[in-house]
Amino acid sequence: MYEKHLEKPASFYPEYPRKSGNQAVTHYCPGCGHGIAHKYIAEALDDLKLTERTILISPVGCSVFAYYYFDVGNIQAAHGRAPAVATGIKRINPHSIVISYQGDGDLAAIGGDEIIHAANRGERLSVFFINNAIYGMTGGQMAPTTLVGQQTTTSPRGRNIHNEGYPIRMCELISALEAPVYVERVSLHSPGGRAKARKAIRKALENQVQGKGFSFVEILAQCPTGWKVSAPDSLKWIEEKMLPYYPVQVFRDKSAEAESWAPPDVTYSDADVLQLIELPLEDDAAPAARPKVAEQYRNPRIKIAGFGGQGVLLLGVAMAQLGMMEGYNVSWLPSYGPEMRGGTAHCHVNISDTPIGSPLVSASTVCVAFNKPSLEKFEKEMASDGLLIYNTSMIDIEPTRKDVEWLPIPASEIASQMGNIRFANMVVLGAYIQKTGLVSMETAIKGLPTFIKAKKLIGENIKALETGAAFVRGELKI
Amino acid sequence: MTDKLDRGRLEISADECKGCGLCIVACPVQVIEFSKTVINKQGYHPAQYKGSGCTGCGTCFYACPEPGAVTVYRLAKQAQ
Amino acid sequence: MPRELIKGNEAVVKGAILAGCQAYFGYPITPASEIAEAAAKYFPLVGRTFIQAESEIASIQMVYGAAGGGVRVMTASSGPGISLKQEGISYCAGAELPCVIADIMRGGPGLGNIAPEQSDYHQVVKGGGHGNYRCIVLAPNSAQEMCDLTIKAFDLADQYRTPVYVVTDGYIGQMMEQVNFPTAVQHPKRHDWGVHGDDATRKNLINSIYLDPEELEEHNRKLQKKYVEIEKKEVLVDEYRTQDAELLVVGYGIISRILRTTVDLAREQGVKVGLLRPVTLWPFPAMRIQELCERVRAIQVVELSNGQMVEDVRLAVEGRKPVKFYGRMGGSVPSAQELLGVIRKL
């Protein structure tokens, strides 16, 4: 004659075996708002048939054990980090429904950064924020949402704006961002308020089902224990103390017009993957016969230095790349960091018949100096009988080292005459190749596109190489 | 029999109730009370249905924090 | 085999993709940023996830979330960022979530500088975060190993359900060398303990809470048992000219490369030196050091730190032979010649 109309939602476990003690009831205090919010979420999961694909992120705070109750996939997160954890799991499970459930200390204090940025990225999450103006689990300390004048164990004389500032209004903050789709504050203090809370929770979940963006529901909830009032009086407490400061309203609702989106579900073949991450399947085998190299130019330990922007680092990469293509062991080590940005730059290059131990070049056998400070600094550390290449366009002194071979070259001027002073490094590379024969010009031309990424500049760079080589051959008049 | 049947009926699980009283203040027709005699497993006087007058509105269900403590029944259509 | 002249940092990313890593959650920091940049470039191209998080704290928690889904996932940073990630790494260890963390060490403490150091040894090898846990720590010393050991890190992480570090210094991260990449793309099966957002995994829980002291102790004992197994099975060590060595030098990362040159220089001068390089910093090759210490006269440890790994060498040697330490800090990297001078004093 009577039919069940409302009963425990099926998205709850019938009993709570993960819990110790009485497994028939929750761990929440009598009258606590968490249980009510839980019930509304479970009811909505039932009605929307989402239980199977839902993942709940439990926070730290009174609701730390939310995973005791919900018969869904569960992840328990560190304090404040639920939105970041939710982001991680949602991104790899785009089809799942991910709920980040947090209290006020968790969300608005220690996790302030995580919630703001999850909201700002427009993560496709449903966030339920329980605001009860107090830290419940740790025993009634001040929350970021604790009201002015409210006494807690860490604001024993009442929250003082001069010491603790004002309570934080999260909906107002979140709705200042562009991305969130739906932001509403509801309250559990009255039957009407609770009806709105149920509706808001449902909407936040529906938005996620439809692939709409970030949905945020703040729930003003009672904490009779923390507030030291009876459960019925706690509802009055919400009404009289919280509602004037935390207006209950919809702050943002773009649910209807927001774009439904899910990441594209594409599978890539292994061959595609290799191609897309730029790992060519075919190997460029080293040429059978390397050019013959004079003894003094073999196994060079190269130091290249100049102003940032002179192509110093790129020249080093080019030498290492070409050396590798000729079948040598190679290494390239840059000076890195702020000095790259506008200061001086240098790099260490080794090209060797044998495996390279230290990639750092201390007694260089080749030194390339693009400017005066570089010559002054690095010629000193050269090994005897090394090769010193210096850019006479920018160096108006002679080297002091008489025990090394000099190769002066007006690289910047040659490059400038070719139409772009930035080709000076390739002029030097051409000169080095011509001088030492360590790599063939053929290899250099073949390898150039691996370090000169702009296709339209390849022709001119080859010309710069050839011009540098011609200079060494004495064919170039400056 | 001419007695009109109540539109609703209520079951409150005595062992799940924590005696907070939120259902009692929520009920618009005031048909819930604390038991004066029963002390449940958790040590509370649980809420109990007075036995008649329930309209099946569900207000108490949505006010109760304990997921399984309250079950609300409604009179089946054909019985009305 | 595809061959490329590539930075160590970028080799990490290509290795990770080949290992089947599904998601990268990172935050920029010199000298590790190329890892985030290469991940940002390549991960989305092959249908994987890349997010630049709002903080190091958030990035490791995103790792925690995605690892909870039973897929391969990684992050990377350098000293100051690793300090911040310790919270999440402790949670990953506690919840037994596999993940890979690359640490390209820089100078400290505090903001320090961006030059290479090896001063994160304590925080990565000895724990760093709270609780009774260990992380496997792999220490590549070449661009090739940056790829290879990243792939291995994912395998070990999965096998033992534990976070694994790939730890090196700024130089190995920034250096370009030839890398021969494998051509196999791994397709690791999604772990069935993960939360996939489906009915089959609905009862799964990713969690590090054990309220009951007995349960938590039992959980900790289970972790320790796993660590003992790792210590037994997973030690990796690389040696150079140790067979007839009378002196042993110990170093990892860039220092091991420099020491290799130093060993050759010393041998040219008739000094019989050998190099031991721990490839796994944890588990530490204590047994092998004990064996070698029977044969050598003295041991010289070199680090870019105030002497962190040397503590583990001394624990292994147990006072049987002198263990000397030479360290540079602040980003000063000793030359092979400088270290030759140190060895000559032994």
Side-chain angles (χ1 to χ4, degrees):
Chain A
M1 188 173 304
Y2 284 90
E3 293 169 343
K4 258 188 198 165
H5 172 52
L6 296 167
E7 62 180 326
K8 183 178 186 176
S11 292
F12 284 120
Y13 285 115
E15 288 212 322
Y16 313 125
R18 284 176 178 143
K19 184 172 177 274
S20 60
N22 186 348
Q23 298 180 341
V25 294
T26 65
H27 71 287
Y28 294 114
C29 304
C32 172
H34 277 296
I36 299 172
H38 282 19
K39 192 185 263 185
Y40 298 175
I41 293 168
E43 181 192 40
L45 293 178
D46 283 6
D47 293 351
L48 299 170
K49 299 190 168 38
L50 299 177
T51 314
E52 284 187 8
R53 60 176 170 130
T54 292
I55 298 171
L56 175 74
I57 315 299
S58 301
V60 169
C62 284
S63 48
V64 62
F65 301 122
Y67 63 82
Y68 285 171
Y69 311 118
F70 288 92
D71 186 6
V72 299
N74 278 289
I75 300 184
Q76 199 289 319
H79 198 21
R81 317 300 177 216
V85 173
T87 297
I89 191 74
K90 177 70 178 182
R91 292 296 186 111
I92 60 141
N93 284 324
H95 70 283
S96 65
I97 300 300
V98 178
I99 296 171
S100 181
Y101 185 103
Q102 298 182 265
D104 41 36
D106 192 84
L107 181 138
I110 196 167
D113 200 25
E114 284 76 14
I115 191 61
I116 291 289
H117 286 274
N120 196 47
R121 283 190 303 270
E123 294 293 339
R124 284 159 175 78
L125 302 173
S126 309
V127 177
F128 300 124
F129 167 43
I130 306 299
N131 179 0
N132 57 18
I134 202 155
Y135 281 70
M137 168 143 282
T138 44
Q141 294 83 9
M142 190 189 70
T145 50
T146 289
L147 297 164
V148 174
Q150 185 184 336
Q151 289 183 338
T152 70
T153 58
T154 51
S155 57
R157 289 164 295 281
R159 183 177 190 149
N160 174 350
I161 56 161
H162 301 295
N163 202 49
E164 286 93 25
Y166 290 90
I168 196 162
R169 295 182 178 106
M170 286 310 297
C171 279
E172 285 82 342
L173 268 177
I174 301 279
S175 58
L177 303 171
E178 191 64 29
V181 162
Y182 172 53
V183 181
E184 180 168 0
R185 182 183 290 125
V186 295
S187 165
L188 300 181
H189 75 286
S190 68
R194 293 192 288 268
K196 280 189 180 161
R198 285 171 58 213
K199 212 173 129 204
I201 286 168
R202 190 170 301 240
K203 181 167 186 146
L205 290 168
E206 281 169 338
N207 279 347
Q208 194 176 169
V209 171
Q210 290 162 22
K212 311 263 168 134
F214 186 84
S215 296
F216 184 88
V217 179
E218 174 174 344
I219 301 164
L220 303 181
Q222 66 273 26
C223 179
T225 305
W227 298 345
K228 300 183 170 56
V229 296
S230 72
D233 284 350
S234 70
L235 302 185
K236 287 187 203 121
W237 201 97
I238 296 179
E239 190 175 3
E240 289 164 11
K241 303 207 169 158
M242 293 188 84
L243 290 186
Y245 191 82
Y246 295 112
V248 167
Q249 66 182 79
V250 176
F251 289 85
R252 167 81 56 86
D253 189 0
K254 298 192 291 189
S255 310
E257 62 268 30
E259 181 197 2
S260 287
W261 189 87
D265 188 14
V266 187
T267 48
Y268 296 84
S269 72
D270 291 0
D272 287 345
V273 169
L274 292 172
Q275 171 118 39
L276 288 164
I277 66 169
E278 300 176 281
L279 292 180
L281 268 173
E282 62 284 11
D283 190 359
D284 292 327
R290 269 189 223 147
K292 281 230 162 28
V293 184
E295 181 61 33
Q296 72 267 33
Y297 301 136
R298 289 173 62 183
N299 300 325
R301 302 191 302 271
I302 308 166
K303 182 74 72 67
I304 308 168
F307 290 128
Q310 286 189 301
V312 166
L313 300 183
L314 181 65
L315 174 58
V317 172
M319 287 177 166
Q321 172 71 34
L322 300 179
M324 181 183 86
M325 290 171 69
E326 294 287 11
Y328 293 105
N329 298 286
V330 297
S331 69
W332 170 89
L333 180 66
S335 58
Y336 61 84
E339 55 187 324
M340 281 165 65
R341 297 181 261 283
T344 59
H346 69 267
C347 62
H348 311 242
V349 178
N350 285 280
I351 302 174
S352 175
D353 288 321
T354 53
I356 293 159
S358 175
L360 287 122
V361 171
S362 45
S364 59
T365 63
V366 176
C367 176
V368 181
F370 276 90
N371 60 15
K372 198 164 147 184
S374 298
L375 177 72
E376 288 168 342
K377 183 169 179 193
F378 292 114
E379 69 161 337
K380 281 184 281 193
E381 55 168 62
M382 286 187 73
S384 291
D385 304 323
L387 172 64
L388 174 57
I389 304 174
Y390 58 104
N391 178 17
T392 54
S393 306
M394 298 189 69
I395 299 173
D396 56 5
I397 55 167
E398 278 202 345
T400 58
R401 289 287 294 269
K402 310 293 179 194
D403 60 335
V404 298
E405 183 183 7
W406 296 358
L407 174 50
I409 178 168
S412 301
E413 285 156 277
I414 294 172
S416 184
Q417 279 170 21
M418 289 179 55
N420 189 342
I421 197 166
R422 297 171 68 94
F423 295 153
N425 56 354
M426 290 299 117
V427 171
V428 169
L429 179 60
Y432 176 74
I433 288 170
Q434 180 66 41
K435 182 76 186 169
T436 64
L438 192 73
V439 296
S440 69
M441 188 56 83
E442 190 191 352
T443 301
I445 290 169
K446 191 174 155 207
L448 200 105
T450 60
F451 48 85
I452 302 294
K453 301 289 181 194
K455 283 208 173 74
K456 59 177 186 195
L457 293 178
I458 286 173
E460 287 170 281
N461 275 285
I462 291 173
K463 202 172 140 225
L465 278 180
E466 285 168 342
T467 310
F471 174 82
V472 170
R473 291 195 301 269
E475 294 165 9
L476 196 66
K477 293 281 175 282
I478 287 288
Chain B
M1 289 282 285
T2 55
D3 284 358
K4 204 176 165 205
L5 289 169
D6 286 335
R7 277 180 290 155
R9 222 181 66 200
L10 208 52
E11 266 177 28
I12 297 173
S13 162
D15 282 337
E16 288 180 63
C17 177
K18 288 174 179 164
C20 71
L22 287 180
C23 57
I24 296 173
V25 297
C27 178
V29 289
Q30 294 163 4
V31 296
I32 312 174
E33 63 187 358
F34 283 123
S35 165
K36 291 188 180 64
T37 52
V38 180
I39 297 176
N40 74 3
K41 274 190 205 164
Q42 303 177 78
Y44 301 115
H45 283 301
Q48 65 186 17
Y49 180 37
K50 288 180 182 170
S52 65
C54 175
T55 63
C57 71
T59 307
C60 58
F61 178 84
Y62 291 114
C64 172
E66 200 53 37
V70 176
T71 307
V72 179
Y73 294 81
R74 276 189 183 174
L75 191 61
K77 284 261 162 32
Q78 63 268 30
Q80 284 180 358
Chain C
M1 196 171 257
R3 179 183 73 165
E4 190 179 4
L5 180 73
I6 188 171
K7 271 194 181 186
N9 280 346
E10 289 164 5
V12 165
V13 171
K14 293 194 179 186
I17 290 173
L18 294 175
C21 177
Q22 289 301 311
Y24 181 99
F25 303 102
Y27 189 86
I29 182 170
T30 308
S33 292
E34 291 85 358
I35 302 181
E37 288 166 356
K41 179 177 175 184
Y42 293 118
F43 269 60
L45 283 181
V46 293
R48 319 275 175 93
T49 297
F50 169 85
I51 298 182
Q52 179 170 326
E54 59 271 30
S55 69
E56 303 280 8
I57 294 170
S59 75
I60 190 69
Q61 296 296 345
M62 291 175 188
V63 165
Y64 175 91
V71 302
R72 290 187 164 186
V73 52
M74 78 170 294
T75 185
S77 191
S78 185
I82 298 295
S83 299
L84 289 169
K85 287 187 196 295
Q86 294 294 0
E87 173 196 72
I89 293 166
S90 168
Y91 277 75
C92 287
E96 296 191 88
L97 293 180
C99 58
V100 172
I101 306 120
D103 176 13
I104 313 302
M105 294 182 284
R106 59 185 253 176
L111 209 46
N113 65 22
I114 58 169
E117 254 194 14
Q118 298 177 322
S119 51
D120 290 355
Y121 185 92
H122 277 158
Q123 75 157 329
V124 302
V125 171
K126 305 291 178 179
H130 60 282
N132 307 303
Y133 74 96
R134 290 285 203 175
C135 295
I136 298 175
V137 183
L138 306 176
N141 78 346
S142 65
Q144 181 70 55
E145 282 193 350
M146 290 289 267
C147 167
D148 297 347
L149 292 182
T150 297
I151 294 172
K152 187 172 181 65
F154 281 105
D155 293 341
L156 289 170
D158 275 350
Q159 186 181 342
Y160 293 103
R161 286 191 62 175
T162 194
V164 178
Y165 281 104
V166 175
V167 168
T168 197
D169 46 83
Y171 270 169
I172 300 297
Q174 294 292 324
M175 181 169 60
M176 283 177 111
E177 289 184 299
Q178 172 175 328
V179 174
N180 298 313
F181 285 95
T183 49
V185 182
Q186 294 190 47
H187 301 274
K189 198 179 147 286
R190 225 169 148 170
H191 295 292
D192 52 17
W193 48 255
V195 174
H196 305 180
D198 60 17
D199 200 36
T201 61
R202 195 166 118 202
K203 305 292 176 196
N204 290 347
L205 168 66
I206 304 301
N207 183 25
S208 59
I209 306 175
Y210 296 84
L211 273 192
D212 180 69
E214 278 174 27
E215 276 180 30
L216 183 56
E217 185 168 43
E218 190 188 329
H219 175 61
N220 268 294
R221 288 203 191 287
K222 180 184 160 206
L223 294 180
Q224 306 318 307
K225 210 173 139 194
K226 176 162 88 178
Y227 301 147
V228 168
E229 188 187 346
I230 293 169
E231 283 185 309
K232 264 189 208 148
K233 292 184 181 164
E234 305 300 343
V235 173
L236 288 175
V237 66
D238 183 27
E239 291 176 33
Y240 183 63
R241 304 181 85 165
T242 52
Q243 270 178 334
D244 62 342
E246 292 164 4
L247 294 171
L248 184 68
V249 290
V250 183
Y252 69 99
I254 186 68
I255 288 296
S256 66
R257 296 288 295 267
I258 300 167
L259 282 173
R260 188 184 162 105
T261 299
T262 304
V263 165
D264 287 340
L265 293 172
R267 292 260 173 181
E268 281 168 22
Q269 298 182 5
V271 184
K272 286 191 173 171
V273 190
L275 164 66
L276 180 138
R277 167 171 79 101
V279 177
T280 49
L281 299 180
W282 194 85
F284 192 71
M287 296 283 278
R288 184 59 188 152
I289 288 174
Q290 277 170 21
E291 285 164 19
L292 287 172
C293 110
E294 297 298 327
R295 310 205 309 249
V296 300
R297 186 158 57 75
I299 296 172
Q300 176 71 52
V301 178
V302 182
E303 296 174 62
L304 295 180
S305 78
N306 61 338
Q308 302 193 10
M309 180 179 72
V310 68
E311 293 182 3
D312 284 329
V313 176
R314 289 192 172 126
L315 280 172
V317 170
E318 291 176 321
R320 280 170 288 191
K321 293 285 162 64
V323 176
K324 305 278 184 199
F325 174 71
Y326 184 75
R328 296 295 305 268
M329 292 172 278
S332 297
V333 180
S335 68
Q337 289 289 344
E338 181 179 339
L339 296 184
L340 179 62
V342 171
I343 289 173
R344 294 305 309 251
K345 284 191 207 138
L346 274 181

